[in-house]
Amino acid sequence: MSLIHGDPPLRKLFGSVYYGWIVAVGASLNSFVVVGIGFYAMAVFLDALSAERGWSRTEVSFATTLYFVTSGLVGPWVGRAVDRFGPRVAIGVGAAIMALGLVWLGRIERPGQLAQIYPVLAIGFALASAIPSSAIVTRWFERRRAQAMSIAQTGVSVGGVVLVPLITASLLERGLAHTTAFLAGLLCLVVWPVTALLLRNDPRAVGQSPDGQSPAESRPAFAAGELWTQRAAARTTTFWRLVFAFSGILFCQVGAAMHQLSVVREHLPAEVASLALSTTAAASIIGRLIVGSFADRVDQRVLTVGLVALQAAAIATLGFAETAPALFLASAAFGFTIGNVFMLQSLLVAQLFGVRSFGTVLGLVQLLTQTASGLGPLALGAMYAWLGYGPGLGALAGIAALGSVALVGARPAVAPEPDQAGTLAPRKSGA
């Protein structure tokens, strides 16, 4: 039972260190494989299935879009499950589903099978990635939440740095079946032990308070104890500002990220081009740690707008650059922003809606933003067939910059109260 609810078996090894930092590191280890495979590897699979199997890029792009749309569609269900059963259960089940989907992907024979396999992978990815990981960190930290979140999500970028070249080389040398089987095993060998031995759902599980404060010092920030239903959240202007902004931003970010390897391969050899993705991931580590060190002390809405402006410039440069230095510089600038955008989406949900219903609200936000992001690869694939990558990426850059402006006017949502029917609804003064 201690592996499920009690004191973590390895806690004594860390002495007087606030255990929330160990939880953040554990979340980072999980993200290394879950998001390294579930996000970065999808770009490698898109390029490999198109280039090596002769399947059309539009066809594979459609399957990639289906993957991201499906992960968004199940977001509300995942969010409610996280709030009800705890993040750890979601992570463990999600890793198992992802592993099964990867083994199935290794046996693929026809492009049409991608439409069956990718939704399975997407469900596992949604259960094991952003919502439960962010929920754990949000519960353990209040005043240093951005710093902790940057540590927890650093594993995402490390996964890109390490796994992209490894997966690329494995696909070239040993093929799809061997590569996906290896990735399935890696998922299980990392995620299950880390979740069982290191992670705990909230500080109460080990008799602590957020940030390691004493109970008298701990003051829940941003109405941490308030309860939101998805219906009540969706009736606020704040919710729709978040959705509009991040739908546009992630539509462009994911579209560019999934085609990045293909874009760079138009000018550089495959082995060199794969390093551009690793450059993006490495820059993401640096960017997230830098931004995480001060994001708790600034207006995170304005910070997001500034980072998206930099990202838009990087995306446009990727579309029109032709030399290796320009392509790698644009990849680095893109990477500096890419991880921070995902991190800031979670931070803004916690800031504007509180902690108690964090999974519920974030799941509904991701239903819409992840669906929009899933359309990005398909849209860019269609624009590539019509106009080429340059104009297509230029259009994405403009959409991203425009969408971010909606965040400037976002305000913390007023806590809900029971209406006459007994359901939760926001007070009219803050809707």
Side-chain angles (χ1 to χ4, degrees):
M1 291 295 292
S2 63
L3 294 182
I4 301 174
H5 300 294
D7 211 31
L10 303 181
R11 184 184 174 192
K12 293 181 180 179
L13 295 177
F14 306 107
S16 60
V17 174
Y18 174 54
Y19 197 75
W21 297 113
I22 309 305
V23 170
V25 172
S28 184
L29 289 172
N30 279 351
S31 295
F32 166 72
V33 289
V34 172
V35 188
I37 295 169
F39 183 78
Y40 283 103
M42 300 308 294
V44 181
F45 290 145
L46 187 153
D47 184 70
L49 292 170
S50 300
E52 298 175 15
R53 302 240 173 161
W55 298 343
S56 74
R57 191 164 293 169
T58 301
E59 192 171 29
V60 182
S61 295
F62 171 78
T64 305
T65 286
L66 182 62
Y67 172 85
F68 285 106
V69 169
T70 301
S71 66
L73 290 175
V74 301
W77 173 75
V78 172
R80 289 194 297 269
V82 166
D83 284 340
R84 181 175 180 181
F85 301 108
R88 296 170 70 228
V89 172
I91 292 170
V93 173
I97 294 173
M98 277 188 73
L100 291 173
L102 285 165
V103 173
W104 188 9
L105 179 62
R107 300 174 180 272
I108 191 170
E109 297 178 352
R110 302 181 305 277
Q113 292 177 289
L114 288 173
Q116 300 171 334
I117 298 170
Y118 272 25
V120 174
L121 277 170
I123 292 170
F125 178 63
L127 280 166
S129 56
I131 296 176
S133 178
S134 298
I136 284 182
V137 175
T138 298
R139 294 176 182 187
W140 278 87
F141 292 90
E142 293 172 359
R143 298 175 181 174
R144 304 180 72 178
R145 185 175 291 151
Q147 185 178 5
M149 196 79 77
S150 69
I151 293 172
Q153 294 190 8
T154 294
V156 174
S157 305
V158 176
V161 172
V162 175
L163 294 181
V164 166
L166 183 64
I167 294 169
T168 301
S170 180
L171 285 169
L172 290 173
E173 296 176 9
R174 301 196 176 187
L176 185 66
H178 175 90
T179 301
T180 55
F182 166 74
L183 294 176
L186 182 65
L187 263 171
C188 296
L189 288 173
V190 173
V191 174
W192 288 346
V194 166
T195 302
L197 298 176
L198 294 183
L199 299 189
R200 286 299 179 268
N201 288 333
D202 61 61
R204 292 174 300 175
V206 296
Q208 294 183 331
S209 299
D211 294 308
Q213 304 171 86
S214 68
E217 295 175 319
S218 181
R219 293 183 293 107
F222 306 112
E226 301 297 345
L227 179 65
W228 288 89
T229 65
Q230 291 178 342
R231 178 178 294 182
R235 292 170 62 184
T236 64
T237 303
T238 298
F239 175 85
W240 289 107
R241 283 185 176 274
L242 279 173
V243 166
F244 179 82
F246 282 101
S247 292
I249 295 166
L250 294 175
F251 172 86
C252 305
Q253 177 172 287
V254 174
M258 291 301 101
H259 283 266
Q260 184 184 357
L261 184 58
S262 299
V263 171
V264 178
R265 278 195 64 176
E266 290 194 334
H267 307 287
L268 301 174
E271 294 80 2
V272 178
S274 68
L275 294 178
L277 265 69
S278 295
T279 299
T280 295
S284 180
I285 298 173
I286 297 170
R288 191 182 287 110
L289 291 176
I290 290 175
V291 172
S293 69
F294 67 81
D296 288 309
R297 301 189 299 274
V298 302
D299 189 327
Q300 293 171 359
R301 298 161 299 180
V302 176
L303 176 60
T304 303
V305 174
L307 287 169
V308 172
L310 175 60
Q311 182 175 113
I315 290 174
T317 302
L318 273 174
F320 294 99
E322 297 182 353
T323 64
L327 289 166
F328 274 83
L329 180 62
S331 296
F334 184 50
F336 188 90
T337 65
I338 189 171
N340 282 310
V341 167
F342 282 117
M343 178 179 75
L344 284 163
Q345 179 180 233
S346 298
L347 289 172
L348 285 171
V349 169
Q351 182 186 84
L352 299 175
F353 285 93
V355 174
R356 186 177 176 189
S357 302
F358 175 82
T360 296
V361 178
L362 181 60
L364 186 59
V365 169
Q366 288 205 341
L367 165 65
L368 300 167
T369 62
Q370 195 79 347
T371 299
S373 73
L375 297 174
L378 181 62
L380 185 55
M383 286 189 280
Y384 166 80
W386 181 32
L387 299 170
Y389 274 131
L393 288 167
L396 292 188
I399 294 170
L402 179 64
S404 68
V405 177
L407 290 173
V408 176
R411 297 290 183 268
V414 175
E417 63 181 6
D419 60 18
Q420 293 180 351
T423 59
L424 292 175
R427 296 185 180 95
K428 292 181 179 180
S429 60

